[in-house]
Amino acid sequence: MRQPEYILTLSCPDQRGIVHSVSGFLAQHGCNIIDSAQFGDAQSATFFMRVHFAVEDSSISDAALREEFAALGAGMQMSWQLHDAHHKPRVMLMVSKIGHCLNDLLFRYKSGLLPVEIKAIVSNHTDFYQLAASYNIPFHHFPLAAGAAPEAKQAQEQKILDIVEANDIELVVLARYMQILSPAMCDALRGKAINIHHSFLPSFKGAKPYYQAHERGVKLIGATAHFVTGDLDEGPIIEQDVERVDHAMEPETLTAIGRDVECVVLARAVKCFVEHRILLNGHKTVVFK
């Protein structure tokens, strides 16, 4: 039998002795630290930590570990979570009519590069139902007409949330889902929905960003993965990347390059999430590599 492994993530007011207290607790409870990372933010006076460890003492139960760490956490005002490192989070993908990010995530999932279980694919179009079927993943088509009444949008979003609840979804990935989520939907998915923005935020917002970039003669294009919030494209940033371009490239070339960047950035963000490497720091994130 393999040893139980956990990932502990925490944040608390910065103070002396946090690392000593956590590592001491783990040592006293028969645990061996595999890797650890920490960061103290001077501006917010907050300390962040991620520890991956194995439980080598078979007499230590999961319940006892959590109960006894809770006492330590309370004493240091910690906000903490203890995750089973072997657990594969349940994920739902959402897409519209542009499928490069969807296709990339499905390939990474099938090849074992993303440690997740993709339980459903949701779309407001039918373009990718055959792709979903080829991976044996349920495909849910919930259309929403342009200019639909608020009641119709609410009903469509409720169907999506029903899928989330029925499958106990832990992460929703908007893989180029080209619908603005309502504030109520954003609240329901707070902290567990990631969007890929086809631009290097915060610039060139709106339609056809690569055409805007071409008109401005940019020399770098990029993509941004961020948490979904009620403020459109303003959620805490998780991952970004750029590619250098030049004056000789047409908008179609920029689009092709940009789509490659989007795939990589979104996959990195999803991997960071499922490996519990992202901690919120106000409107920003701490992402441990």
Side-chain angles (χ1 to χ4, degrees):
M1 291 179 61
R2 63 182 177 183
Q3 293 175 331
E5 291 183 19
Y6 292 89
I7 296 172
L8 169 68
T9 58
L10 65 89
S11 61
C12 64
D14 205 354
Q15 55 200 288
R16 284 195 299 268
I18 303 171
V19 175
H20 174 77
S21 297
V22 171
S23 59
F25 173 91
L26 294 176
Q28 292 165 13
H29 288 76
C31 302
N32 179 46
I33 294 175
I34 298 171
D35 63 74
S36 177
Q38 55 271 335
F39 169 69
D41 182 10
Q43 286 188 325
S44 64
T46 304
F47 183 83
F48 302 86
M49 191 174 186
R50 176 188 184 273
V51 186
H52 179 193
F53 64 91
V55 180
E56 296 182 339
D57 185 345
S58 59
S59 68
I60 303 297
S61 69
D62 178 273
L65 197 64
R66 295 177 186 274
E67 181 180 352
E68 294 179 32
F69 189 83
L72 171 64
M76 304 190 84
Q77 298 179 272
M78 289 181 185
S79 174
W80 61 276
Q81 290 184 303
L82 190 60
H83 310 274
D84 179 353
H86 297 304
H87 171 68
K88 293 183 178 181
R90 295 173 293 276
V91 175
M92 182 177 81
L93 306 179
M94 298 180 66
V95 67
S96 290
K97 295 176 71 70
I98 301 174
H100 55 285
C101 287
L102 173 67
N103 192 54
D104 180 76
L105 290 173
L106 289 173
F107 173 78
R108 292 174 190 266
Y109 154 70
K110 193 67 173 180
S111 58
L113 297 174
L114 274 181
V116 299
E117 292 294 341
I118 299 179
K119 308 300 289 186
I121 297 173
V122 169
S123 181
N124 53 328
H125 298 278
T126 58
D127 298 56
F128 299 112
Y129 78 93
Q130 288 182 322
L131 178 62
S134 71
Y135 284 91
N136 199 29
I137 298 173
F139 182 87
H140 304 272
H141 176 222
F142 300 136
L144 187 66
E151 294 78 11
K153 184 174 182 64
Q154 182 180 5
Q156 189 249 17
E157 290 188 339
Q158 185 56 55
K159 292 178 182 178
I160 297 171
L161 292 176
D162 289 344
I163 298 295
V164 171
E165 182 177 359
N167 291 275
D168 197 16
I169 296 297
E170 297 165 83
L171 174 64
V172 175
V173 182
L174 277 61
R176 296 302 301 271
Y177 181 69
M178 307 305 288
Q179 290 285 328
I180 297 174
L181 303 186
S182 69
M185 183 77 158
C186 291
D187 286 342
L189 298 177
R190 184 176 300 276
K192 65 176 186 179
I194 294 175
N195 185 36
I196 183 67
H197 186 84
H198 44 296
S199 184
F200 189 70
L201 290 173
S203 63
F204 301 122
K205 297 181 182 180
K208 295 188 175 181
Y210 298 117
Y211 283 78
Q212 296 180 52
H214 184 261
E215 288 297 317
R216 292 287 300 275
V218 303
K219 302 300 183 274
L220 287 172
I221 59 173
T224 302
H226 62 88
F227 281 114
V228 173
T229 67
D231 297 320
L232 183 62
D233 298 328
E234 297 291 339
I237 292 172
I238 301 168
E239 180 61 60
Q240 294 181 289
D241 208 346
V242 294
E243 283 286 344
R244 184 163 291 279
V245 296
D246 62 40
H247 62 277
M249 295 179 180
E250 296 296 323
E252 293 78 10
T253 303
L254 300 188
T255 300
I257 294 171
R259 287 181 175 178
D260 286 343
V261 180
E262 291 165 29
C263 290
V264 172
V265 169
L266 183 56
R268 286 178 189 162
V270 171
K271 194 168 190 291
C272 284
F273 183 96
V274 301
E275 293 180 352
H276 311 290
R277 297 184 181 276
I278 309 167
L279 285 79
L280 284 174
N281 182 17
H283 196 61
K284 301 184 293 183
T285 59
V286 172
V287 183
F288 289 120
K289 300 301 183 183

